[in-house]
Short mmCIF file of all heavy atoms in Angstrom, two decimals:
data_model
loop_
_atom_site.label_atom_id
_atom_site.label_comp_id
_atom_site.label_asym_id
_atom_site.label_seq_id
_atom_site.Cartn_x
_atom_site.Cartn_y
_atom_site.Cartn_z
N LEU A 382 83.85 72.22 157.74
CA LEU A 382 83.81 73.70 158.04
C LEU A 382 85.21 74.20 158.39
O LEU A 382 85.67 74.13 159.56
CB LEU A 382 82.90 73.89 159.33
CG LEU A 382 81.42 73.36 159.07
CD1 LEU A 382 81.05 72.45 160.17
CD2 LEU A 382 80.44 74.53 158.97
N PRO A 383 85.86 74.78 157.40
CA PRO A 383 87.16 75.33 157.75
C PRO A 383 87.01 76.63 158.56
O PRO A 383 85.94 77.32 158.53
CB PRO A 383 87.75 75.76 156.30
CG PRO A 383 86.84 75.02 155.35
CD PRO A 383 85.51 74.86 155.95
N GLU A 384 88.05 76.94 159.30
CA GLU A 384 88.09 78.21 160.22
C GLU A 384 86.88 78.22 161.11
O GLU A 384 86.25 79.14 161.37
CB GLU A 384 88.03 79.42 159.37
CG GLU A 384 89.25 79.66 158.41
CD GLU A 384 90.66 79.38 159.09
OE1 GLU A 384 90.68 79.79 160.28
OE2 GLU A 384 91.53 78.82 158.49
N CYS A 385 86.60 76.92 161.67
CA CYS A 385 85.44 76.85 162.61
C CYS A 385 85.91 76.00 163.79
O CYS A 385 86.36 74.84 163.53
CB CYS A 385 84.28 76.23 161.90
SG CYS A 385 82.86 75.98 163.00
N GLY A 386 85.96 76.46 164.97
CA GLY A 386 86.46 75.75 166.11
C GLY A 386 85.38 75.54 167.18
O GLY A 386 84.16 75.67 166.89
N SER A 387 85.81 75.19 168.38
CA SER A 387 84.80 74.84 169.40
C SER A 387 83.87 75.95 169.82
O SER A 387 82.85 75.64 170.43
CB SER A 387 85.63 74.24 170.60
OG SER A 387 86.57 75.28 171.01
N ASN A 388 84.26 77.23 169.61
CA ASN A 388 83.42 78.31 169.99
C ASN A 388 82.22 78.43 168.98
O ASN A 388 81.11 78.67 169.42
CB ASN A 388 84.15 79.59 169.96
CG ASN A 388 85.04 79.73 171.23
OD1 ASN A 388 84.86 79.08 172.22
ND2 ASN A 388 86.09 80.47 171.09
N THR A 389 82.59 78.26 167.71
CA THR A 389 81.53 78.54 166.66
C THR A 389 80.77 77.27 166.21
O THR A 389 79.65 77.42 165.71
CB THR A 389 82.19 79.12 165.48
OG1 THR A 389 83.33 78.48 165.24
CG2 THR A 389 82.45 80.62 165.74
N LEU A 390 81.43 76.09 166.50
CA LEU A 390 80.68 74.85 165.98
C LEU A 390 79.36 74.64 166.67
O LEU A 390 78.39 74.33 165.90
CB LEU A 390 81.64 73.66 166.21
CG LEU A 390 81.12 72.32 165.61
CD1 LEU A 390 80.86 72.47 164.16
CD2 LEU A 390 82.03 71.24 165.90
N PRO A 391 79.20 74.83 167.98
CA PRO A 391 77.87 74.43 168.58
C PRO A 391 76.80 75.32 167.99
O PRO A 391 75.74 74.76 167.54
CB PRO A 391 78.11 74.69 170.02
CG PRO A 391 79.54 74.54 170.22
CD PRO A 391 80.22 75.08 168.97
N PRO A 392 76.84 76.69 167.82
CA PRO A 392 75.78 77.43 167.30
C PRO A 392 75.53 77.15 165.82
O PRO A 392 74.37 77.17 165.40
CB PRO A 392 76.28 78.91 167.53
CG PRO A 392 77.55 78.87 167.82
CD PRO A 392 77.95 77.55 168.41
N VAL A 393 76.65 76.87 165.10
CA VAL A 393 76.47 76.54 163.65
C VAL A 393 75.70 75.32 163.53
O VAL A 393 74.78 75.20 162.74
CB VAL A 393 77.88 76.43 162.96
CG1 VAL A 393 77.80 75.85 161.62
CG2 VAL A 393 78.53 77.83 162.85
N ALA A 394 76.07 74.28 164.32
CA ALA A 394 75.31 72.96 164.20
C ALA A 394 73.94 73.12 164.57
O ALA A 394 73.08 72.56 163.94
CB ALA A 394 76.16 71.96 165.02
N GLU A 395 73.68 73.88 165.65
CA GLU A 395 72.31 74.00 166.17
C GLU A 395 71.49 74.70 165.19
O GLU A 395 70.29 74.40 164.82
CB GLU A 395 72.39 74.80 167.51
CG GLU A 395 71.06 75.04 168.15
CD GLU A 395 70.11 73.77 168.24
OE1 GLU A 395 70.65 72.68 168.38
OE2 GLU A 395 68.86 73.90 168.09
N LYS A 396 72.14 75.75 164.56
CA LYS A 396 71.35 76.57 163.51
C LYS A 396 70.96 75.70 162.42
O LYS A 396 69.86 75.70 161.85
CB LYS A 396 72.24 77.69 163.13
CG LYS A 396 71.47 78.88 162.37
CD LYS A 396 72.39 79.97 162.04
CE LYS A 396 72.42 80.25 160.50
NZ LYS A 396 73.55 81.05 160.11
N LEU A 397 71.87 74.79 162.02
CA LEU A 397 71.59 73.95 160.80
C LEU A 397 70.48 72.98 161.13
O LEU A 397 69.59 72.74 160.33
CB LEU A 397 72.96 73.25 160.41
CG LEU A 397 72.89 72.35 159.22
CD1 LEU A 397 72.47 73.17 158.02
CD2 LEU A 397 74.25 71.67 158.95
N ARG A 398 70.59 72.46 162.34
CA ARG A 398 69.54 71.52 162.67
C ARG A 398 68.16 72.19 162.73
O ARG A 398 67.18 71.54 162.13
CB ARG A 398 69.83 70.98 164.13
CG ARG A 398 68.87 69.78 164.59
CD ARG A 398 68.81 69.80 166.15
NE ARG A 398 68.34 71.09 166.67
CZ ARG A 398 67.04 71.50 166.67
NH1 ARG A 398 66.08 70.83 166.16
NH2 ARG A 398 66.75 72.70 167.31
N ALA A 399 68.17 73.38 163.24
CA ALA A 399 66.82 74.10 163.33
C ALA A 399 66.34 74.41 161.96
O ALA A 399 65.16 74.38 161.67
CB ALA A 399 67.05 75.37 164.19
N ARG A 400 67.26 74.81 161.13
CA ARG A 400 66.82 75.23 159.71
C ARG A 400 66.19 74.01 158.99
O ARG A 400 65.16 74.13 158.38
CB ARG A 400 68.11 75.67 158.93
CG ARG A 400 68.53 77.08 159.09
CD ARG A 400 67.66 78.12 158.41
NE ARG A 400 67.81 78.09 157.00
CZ ARG A 400 68.63 78.88 156.32
NH1 ARG A 400 69.43 79.74 157.01
NH2 ARG A 400 68.62 78.96 155.04
N ILE A 401 66.79 72.83 159.15
CA ILE A 401 66.34 71.70 158.50
C ILE A 401 64.97 71.26 159.12
O ILE A 401 63.90 70.96 158.49
CB ILE A 401 67.25 70.49 158.69
CG1 ILE A 401 68.58 70.80 157.79
CG2 ILE A 401 66.70 69.15 158.17
CD1 ILE A 401 69.75 70.00 158.12
N ALA A 402 64.92 71.40 160.48
CA ALA A 402 63.62 70.95 161.09
C ALA A 402 62.49 71.92 160.76
O ALA A 402 61.30 71.56 160.68
CB ALA A 402 63.86 71.05 162.68
N GLY A 403 62.79 73.18 160.37
CA GLY A 403 61.80 74.13 159.95
C GLY A 403 61.46 74.10 158.47
O GLY A 403 60.60 74.83 157.99
N HIS A 404 62.32 73.44 157.70
CA HIS A 404 62.04 73.43 156.28
C HIS A 404 60.87 72.60 155.85
O HIS A 404 60.57 71.58 156.38
CB HIS A 404 63.36 72.84 155.62
CG HIS A 404 63.38 73.03 154.12
ND1 HIS A 404 63.71 74.14 153.44
CD2 HIS A 404 63.05 72.09 153.16
CE1 HIS A 404 63.68 73.97 152.11
NE2 HIS A 404 63.26 72.74 151.92
N ILE A 405 60.12 73.15 154.87
CA ILE A 405 59.02 72.39 154.39
C ILE A 405 59.39 71.57 153.14
O ILE A 405 59.79 72.29 152.11
CB ILE A 405 57.80 73.28 154.12
CG1 ILE A 405 57.34 73.95 155.46
CG2 ILE A 405 56.58 72.64 153.53
CD1 ILE A 405 56.47 75.21 155.33
N PHE A 406 59.33 70.34 153.21
CA PHE A 406 59.66 69.45 152.08
C PHE A 406 58.45 69.20 151.25
O PHE A 406 57.36 69.19 151.80
CB PHE A 406 60.30 68.14 152.59
CG PHE A 406 61.66 68.28 153.16
CD1 PHE A 406 61.81 68.81 154.52
CD2 PHE A 406 62.77 68.12 152.50
CE1 PHE A 406 63.03 69.01 155.01
CE2 PHE A 406 64.04 68.20 153.05
CZ PHE A 406 64.22 68.74 154.26
#
Side-chain angles (χ1 to χ4, degrees):
Chain A
L382 302 126
E384 302 307 326
C385 177
S387 53
N388 286 335
T389 44
L390 184 58
V393 166
E395 179 50 33
K396 196 177 121 196
L397 183 59
R398 184 205 59 77
R400 280 285 287 269
I401 294 165
H404 187 81
I405 297 169
F406 290 80

